[in-house]
Amino acid sequence: MAGFSAVLSISRLSPLITPLRFKRYTGLGFKCQAGSSPQMDSDSTQKGSLSQVDSDSTQKKGSLSGISSYTISAALAGLGSLETGYLSYLKLTDSNVFCPIGSGTCGDVLDSDYSFVFGIPLPLVGLVAYSAVTLLSLQQLGIFSIPGVNKTDSRLLLIGTTTSMATASAYFLYLLSTKFEGTSCSYCLISAFISFTLFFLLLKDYGLEKIGKLLGLQLAVAGMVIAALTNTYSSITPQSRSAEEFTLERYETEITKESTPFAIALAKHLHSIGAKMYGAFWCSHCNEQKEMFGKEAVKILNYVECFPDGAGKGRTMAVDCAVVGIEGFPTWIIKDQVLSGEQDLNTLANASGFVYQDNNPS
């Protein structure tokens, strides 16, 4: 859920980083001269010593039980990359997600309109963000080097990236509690935990004094993330409560009409050739179609109920209906012909090649 951070932080931090770098280095006062100045050499030596002490002090303060903060951040970001990589694969292959907690309700969140940012699957954006944090952390450890990015830049990028990730996670937790009330999403909570941990871990490593100088930058990044997400999701039309929060248990509608001889004969013919009627218990047109046949004939039809376990939240269409691509009800499949919607009996007779022979002419 922290995915949006990469797009914002990495692409927009560079203009903010440049002035900070100039501020740090323009005070060195380089001169072109024939010989070295003893005073300058002395000052440079002292500055170098102080820089080394400051670096050593930062590493000590940034360690937890002897483990570097960047080692922990690289491990956590790697874990986040595995999670978002798995979800990205499922999203791109249109596969169902395995929900260890919540009886499948996490799929309602991960398959919703809120799982995209500017048309990009959110897990894919998260994968980019976590991968960026992993590489930047490895650079701080001296294990990996990003061309054109020094350690000072990478530290600033880490702060900006984790700030945007934490902001995005907070925003998505808000959506989870308001738009998906009562729904559990273990993947969302794990990602939020990793994002917040990375943010506070690197915040502690940087030091409160230095963070105070970057507070404006962090607020700007957080503001851009919130504005972008709000703009993205403002056009989403809220789903009705009946579809989003309620379930409808299956019920039977009584057919009261008496069947005519023609309807009974047609029903027998349709059954004999393997014709099927696909319907849903809540569909009024399906019930009207059954009334056309009458209570005796409808028992003869090959009728397939597409929602045998009920409809609504957490209920899915029956496999027999899904495999043939049923999109509306009722749907007739007669000799490889697909007839959508309610059909009169004569249409069904013509489509199936039925010829009625009245054995009892009046």
Side-chain angles (χ1 to χ4, degrees):
M1 295 291 287
F4 185 71
S5 54
V7 176
L8 289 173
S9 60
I10 296 177
S11 63
R12 298 180 182 178
L13 277 175
S14 296
L16 297 172
I17 290 171
T18 302
L20 289 172
R21 291 178 59 193
F22 282 146
K23 183 177 180 181
R24 178 170 180 174
Y25 292 114
T26 51
L28 291 181
F30 291 108
K31 294 182 179 180
C32 181
Q33 56 187 28
S36 61
S37 169
Q39 181 64 37
M40 177 174 283
D41 290 343
S42 175
D43 292 344
S44 300
T45 301
Q46 290 179 3
K47 289 180 180 179
S49 300
L50 290 174
S51 298
Q52 182 64 37
V53 171
D54 181 64
S55 176
D56 294 341
S57 175
T58 300
Q59 290 181 0
K60 290 179 180 179
K61 289 191 293 183
S63 62
L64 298 174
S65 301
I67 303 176
S68 170
S69 298
Y70 296 113
T71 301
I72 299 174
S73 65
L76 287 174
L79 180 62
S81 297
L82 290 176
E83 181 202 26
T84 51
Y86 165 69
L87 296 177
S88 296
Y89 169 77
L90 295 179
K91 199 72 175 176
L92 295 175
T93 59
D94 198 24
S95 303
N96 293 325
V97 65
F98 168 70
C99 301
I101 302 174
S103 302
T105 57
C106 66
D108 297 337
V109 179
L110 298 173
D111 293 332
S112 70
D113 291 336
Y114 293 95
S115 64
F116 291 88
V117 176
F118 296 117
I120 303 172
L122 190 57
L124 187 60
V125 183
L127 177 60
V128 173
Y130 282 120
S131 299
V133 173
T134 302
L135 295 178
L136 290 169
S137 298
L138 292 177
Q139 173 154 339
Q140 288 297 314
L141 294 170
I143 299 175
F144 182 83
S145 179
I146 302 176
V149 180
N150 58 38
K151 285 193 174 183
T152 301
D153 290 343
S154 65
R155 289 188 75 189
L156 289 171
L157 286 170
L158 274 171
I159 288 295
T161 303
T162 53
T163 297
S164 58
M165 291 171 71
T167 304
S169 291
Y171 189 94
F172 289 124
L173 288 178
Y174 164 75
L175 290 179
L176 186 63
S177 63
T178 56
K179 305 296 184 181
F180 301 92
E181 186 177 357
T183 301
S184 174
C185 179
S186 54
Y187 297 103
C188 309
L189 298 178
I190 291 172
S191 185
F193 172 78
I194 295 175
S195 297
F196 288 134
T197 303
L198 287 170
F199 172 69
F200 288 112
L201 180 68
L202 295 175
L203 199 67
K204 177 181 179 298
D205 176 77
Y206 216 85
L208 292 179
E209 184 178 348
K210 293 183 179 180
I211 285 297
K213 298 178 181 179
L214 295 176
L215 183 60
L217 173 63
Q218 291 180 288
L219 291 176
V221 170
M224 288 189 292
V225 171
I226 294 174
L229 291 176
T230 302
N231 179 66
T232 300
Y233 298 135
S234 61
S235 60
I236 294 179
T237 303
Q239 298 180 2
S240 63
R241 289 179 59 86
S242 60
E244 184 178 332
E245 299 182 8
F246 297 125
T247 58
L248 185 63
E249 299 298 334
R250 182 182 177 182
Y251 59 85
E252 297 292 339
T253 300
E254 183 181 4
I255 306 301
T256 58
K257 180 182 176 181
E258 296 288 338
S259 298
T260 64
F262 175 77
I264 294 175
L266 176 59
K268 290 180 178 179
H269 172 72
L270 292 171
H271 185 279
S272 67
I273 64 173
K276 293 182 179 180
M277 172 187 169
Y278 295 85
F281 67 92
W282 43 263
C283 171
S284 60
H285 291 289
C286 299
N287 293 326
E288 291 172 2
Q289 182 76 86
K290 292 177 182 179
E291 282 286 351
M292 288 185 188
F293 280 91
K295 59 183 180 181
E296 293 83 13
V298 78
K299 296 177 182 179
I300 303 172
L301 294 173
N302 287 322
Y303 174 73
V304 181
E305 173 58 55
C306 291
F307 291 90
D309 299 322
K313 183 178 178 180
R315 310 298 174 89
T316 57
M317 181 184 290
V319 175
D320 290 342
C321 300
V323 294
V324 295
I326 300 300
E327 298 180 351
F329 308 104
T331 295
W332 287 90
I333 297 184
I334 304 174
K335 293 182 177 181
D336 296 328
Q337 298 180 71
V338 178
L339 302 178
S340 300
E342 188 179 338
Q343 308 293 326
D344 61 60
L345 299 187
N346 287 329
T347 300
L348 294 173
N350 293 333
S352 63
F354 173 68
V355 177
Y356 179 59
Q357 295 181 351
D358 190 354
N359 295 325
N360 296 306
S362 54

